[in-house]
Amino acid sequence: MRILIVEDSAVLRDSLAQGLREAGYAVDAVADGKRGLIHARTTEYDVVVLDWMLPEMDGLAVLTEMRARRVASAVLMLTARDTLDDKVRGLATGADDYLVKPFAFKELLARVKALARRRHGERSPLLTIGPLTIDSSAKVASVRGKPIDLAPREYALLEYLALRRGKPVTRAELEEHLYDDRSRVLSNSIDAAVYALRTALEAAGCPQLIHTRRKVGYVLSEFDPKERTP
Amino acid sequence: MTLRARLTLMLAITLLPLGAALAIGLYLFVRSSLIARLDDALAARAEAIAGALKVKDGSIEFDFEEAAMPPYSANSPGAVDPARIAYFEVWSMASSIPSQRIEKSASLGALSLTPADTLPEADSAFNLDMPDDTDVRVLSRTVVPPDDKDDERRAAAAPRAANSAGIEVLVIVAVSREPVDGPLETIAAGLVCAGVVFTVVGGLAVRWALARGLAPVRSLADSVNTIDVQRPGTRIDVPHLPAEIAPVQLRINALLERVEQTMQREKRFTTAAAHELRTPVAELRTLLEVAASRPRSAQEAGAALSTALVCVERLDRLVSALLRLTRIEAGREAPTLTDVAIEPVIHECIAAAGSTVVARGIRFDVEIPPGQAVPADRELLALALSNVIANAAEYADEGATVEVRSVHDGASLALSISNPAAAVNRADQARLGEPLFRPDAARMRGDHIGLGLTFARAALSAFGGSIGIRIDQGPRFIVEVRLKTREPL
């Protein structure tokens, strides 16, 4: 999952980025509205954490422009404005959620997780594919109730494939959602991560759920799509 | 007391005495006219009686036939109209003997026109209330009867010519005052009735007229009453207001506009203050929560604590600044006026902004006459100028030159601090100097809290100074500090 933070306070921006990265998200962070809009338009973020009072271009203008250009990322408005009118205005402009400063980081994390789920049409934090269960709230995967030890990147890959289960996901899409601007992405990074994930799942006694679609990417499915093809 | 009642009372106080004076004047004029006519009639009667007097052999003869003059007859009550009854007495006024009555009319009976035989003043007219409750008008006339040898024609030509005996006669005639008192009573009663009717009808008419006249005031009051304090943008618009009241509506709307602007400014300040206070708190909380979310190395923990300290210091600066601003605006920091030389204060302020000045490559070009001084509170002046100078160092373009100049116009000294500021938007001009307002360029630099010009304004106003801000073509950001001078410089 990839998140964009648009916040002019350097301390808050850095703290949020660190906390979200440690929670397993790929995070980009910018300090002003114009750069925030450019990022939002050029990268398919799952969630955008957007401050309201920003230099260059305020958050509401960024949001308006995003929605006008059909950017589908979920947006969490982050602001010190706490009046009902402000909240209504933010939500009416196209925000998916609203959080007033100061806030608990846990609450922000929970809202980001919920927004990311809803972005992919999931309401429950529990995703089940055969014997595999993924708790996107606790960021834990288990096979038949037994937790699997996964690196953050492997878990992020599994969660993203699970959210798109049954559908082919390209390597480019995976790169866009799993790596942020700071990451050094090699040409075989995705393949290497998929290999590591398959190995971990196999070690946990999980049947093969990640299927390769040649020249397309990967599909997470209980059944191999190739076998079902007549 | 309502305005209508007050106006009604004032009109009553003004009009009622005026009406009463007019009524009394009219009454007195009519009375005077009627009495004059009555006196003329009495004079004619006196002349007629005088014509019947002659002097013969040193004594007076009164040739009077009562039958020829019925009003003087002894009529039984009801036989003659009381208003037509007349009376007379004729008194001899010879100087050698006491005055004695020669004759009186039968109509007097036992009564007399000269109670206690006291003769009235000659040629006078007066009212007399006789013992039988008859009110009469009395006229006395001194007459010199002619000698008997004179013929009647001579007597008629010169009735007052001296007779040979030197005898004078006092003719006193009287008639009932009924012809005067009757109409006067009618007129008085009419005037009283007219006064009552005028008072009642006039009062009602005044109330109605005032109600109609004051209706726009009531409409205006109703409109003012509908103003919602939660919606300061409301304006009143009462149609067809008279010219006297229309300015009130204009003033109220102007007041509402000022209130709205103040409320908007306060709201912006509150919002900005909330943002400025909440942001460092949010920074601190998030920083510490993330830092505490998992075990950290000593280096990571130290970095987090250092950042937290920066946040706390900024929060401390902000809270202290807000508290000081409140104290200055509340007048709790009283100024102490002394002659303060401007130039040293400017250089102190530039030195205080040293780190920003050096980091951003800002130059200061100061041209102030040495020894130029103004009466001011040195600490507050330094506070104001340090904020303006720090502001210039913060806003000016990188490597720009800030010009400091002074211009005097007799009563005051204008100190201008100007610098090129490409990042300042001319559209922000109206809001520059508002508490906590920061143009984008300043927001990008984390330690600027947007209270500098607000402080400067508050500090200067404490000892009679003021501050103006404008953006000229360039754009060039200009702050003009105006200070009072003790005498023309």
Side-chain angles (χ1 to χ4, degrees), chain B residues 66-407:
Chain B
E66 206 168 79
M69 292 190 177
Y72 300 109
S73 304
N75 298 298
S76 57
V80 178
D81 180 3
R84 294 187 60 81
I85 297 174
Y87 312 92
F88 72 84
E89 286 186 14
V90 177
W91 285 73
S92 166
M93 302 288 284
S95 56
S96 55
I97 55 172
S99 300
Q100 58 182 8
R101 185 165 59 202
I102 300 167
E103 187 60 79
K104 72 172 186 177
S105 64
S107 57
L108 278 171
L111 299 174
S112 171
L113 295 175
T114 53
D117 290 346
T118 303
L119 293 181
E121 193 177 331
D123 299 322
S124 64
F126 56 93
N127 295 331
L128 179 67
D129 296 337
M130 295 206 295
D132 66 345
D133 292 335
T134 305
D135 296 332
V136 296
R137 179 71 179 175
V138 181
L139 181 123
S140 66
R141 180 64 51 91
T142 305
V143 175
V144 180
D147 287 328
D148 186 38
K149 61 185 177 186
D150 292 340
D151 58 24
E152 288 185 358
R153 184 171 51 85
R154 184 184 168 191
R160 300 194 64 165
N163 50 60
S164 55
I167 296 171
E168 283 187 348
V169 172
L170 184 65
V171 177
I172 303 170
V173 292
V175 292
S176 169
R177 284 211 313 265
E178 182 62 27
V180 173
D181 291 347
L184 281 178
E185 282 174 10
T186 305
I187 288 170
L191 286 173
V192 169
C193 289
V196 172
V197 170
F198 171 78
T199 304
V200 173
V201 174
L204 292 172
V206 164
R207 279 185 68 81
W208 176 81
L210 286 176
R212 293 267 301 171
L214 293 174
V217 176
R218 194 163 49 249
S219 301
L220 193 63
D222 291 343
S223 284
V224 171
N225 202 35
T226 60
I227 295 171
D228 185 352
V229 292
Q230 300 300 324
R231 296 174 59 199
T234 311
R235 298 287 183 276
I236 55 172
D237 183 18
V238 180
H240 312 305
L241 276 182
E244 294 85 350
I245 300 176
V248 177
Q249 178 169 277
L250 285 176
R251 300 287 187 283
I252 290 172
N253 281 335
L255 176 66
L256 286 171
E257 190 170 345
R258 288 199 298 278
V259 169
E260 183 185 6
Q261 286 170 355
T262 304
M263 286 179 74
Q264 283 175 345
R265 196 165 55 245
E266 292 295 320
K267 188 178 177 184
R268 284 199 294 270
F269 173 74
T270 307
T271 304
H275 183 269
E276 295 300 327
L277 287 168
R278 282 177 168 157
T279 298
V281 172
E283 288 170 347
L284 262 179
R285 182 168 183 170
T286 307
L287 174 74
L288 296 174
E289 279 185 353
V290 170
S293 64
R294 60 180 61 191
R296 304 286 177 187
S297 66
Q299 191 180 359
E300 286 176 327
L305 288 175
S306 296
T307 309
L309 186 59
V310 170
C311 291
V312 170
E313 284 171 350
R314 181 161 179 265
L315 195 57
D316 180 40
R317 273 206 313 278
L318 179 63
V319 171
S320 300
L322 284 169
L323 288 174
R324 184 154 195 212
L325 176 63
T326 307
R327 282 200 302 272
I328 290 174
E329 288 187 333
R332 276 182 278 161
E333 290 201 9
T336 307
L337 297 184
T338 55
D339 282 335
V340 181
I342 302 291
E343 193 184 17
V345 177
I346 292 287
H347 286 297
E348 282 172 26
C349 296
I350 294 171
S355 59
T356 309
V357 171
V358 172
R360 306 194 64 241
I362 305 295
R363 283 186 61 251
F364 277 85
D365 177 13
V366 182
E367 279 187 21
I368 293 176
Q372 192 171 59
V374 291
D377 182 304
R378 196 182 194 289
E379 195 177 334
L380 289 176
L381 179 63
L383 172 67
L385 292 180
S386 65
N387 277 291
V388 174
I389 297 286
N391 203 59
E394 194 77 39
Y395 282 141
D397 296 342
E398 294 268 356
T401 298
V402 177
E403 291 180 359
V404 183
R405 302 282 185 272
S406 72
V407 179

Side-chain angles (χ1 to χ4, degrees), chain A residues 8-9 22 56 80 82 105, chain B residues 278 283 289 294 296 440:
Chain A
D8 62 334
S9 158
E22 288 175 356
E56 304 289 343
D82 63 345
F105 180 73
Chain B
R278 282 177 168 157
E283 288 170 347
E289 279 185 353
R294 60 180 61 191
R296 304 286 177 187
D440 286 343

